[in-house]
């Protein structure tokens, strides 16, 4: 299960990284840097998810893997959203 989640998150990391590299050219430096940060963290934590899903077993694997996946969605997702919307105002 977690390897499949890792695969999907890895695919989205590649797609979003490519989008940021090509479609964000007209955005401000700050927004491109935010996108780049999200993309880097997305890749790194996807690899950490792969490692945790193959290293740990049982309940520990589920807890660690779900924390990595949640972190990708919450942190990277919010960074992608800020950069895409081109707005840093508090919610």
């Amino acid at each position: 299960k977690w390897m499949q989640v890792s695969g999907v998150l890895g695919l989205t990391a590649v797609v979003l990284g490519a989008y940021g590299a090509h479609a964000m050219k007209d955005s401000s430096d700050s927004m491109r840097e935010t996108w780049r940060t999200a993309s880097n963290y997305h890749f790194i934590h996807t690899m950490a998810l792969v490692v945790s899903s193959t290293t740990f077993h049982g309940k520990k694997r589920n807890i660690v893997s779900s924390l990595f996946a949640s972190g990708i969605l919450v942190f990277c997702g919010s960074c992608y959203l800020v950069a895409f919307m081109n707005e840093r105002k508090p919610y």
Side-chain angles (χ1 to χ4, degrees):
K1 171 188 167 186
W2 286 112
M3 286 304 285
Q4 293 169 334
V5 172
S6 300
V8 170
L9 288 172
L11 173 69
T12 59
V14 171
V15 169
L16 290 170
Y19 176 83
H22 298 286
M24 301 282 292
K25 287 183 179 180
D26 295 332
S27 298
S28 69
D29 289 342
S30 173
M31 292 301 124
R32 282 197 316 269
E33 185 60 31
T34 300
W35 193 279
R36 199 170 10 257
T37 298
S39 185
N40 287 338
Y41 277 84
H42 193 157
F43 276 112
I44 291 166
H45 285 85
T46 298
M47 290 297 103
L49 181 59
V50 169
V51 170
S52 70
S53 67
T54 57
T55 303
F56 300 116
H57 301 285
K59 187 176 181 180
K60 190 173 189 178
R61 173 179 35 200
N62 289 335
I63 291 171
V64 173
S65 297
S66 64
L67 288 173
F68 276 121
S70 299
I72 291 169
L73 294 175
V74 173
F75 177 75
C76 298
S78 66
C79 289
Y80 287 133
L81 185 62
V82 164
F84 184 75
M85 301 295 284
N86 199 22
E87 201 165 315
R88 268 196 202 271
K89 293 180 184 175
Y91 303 106

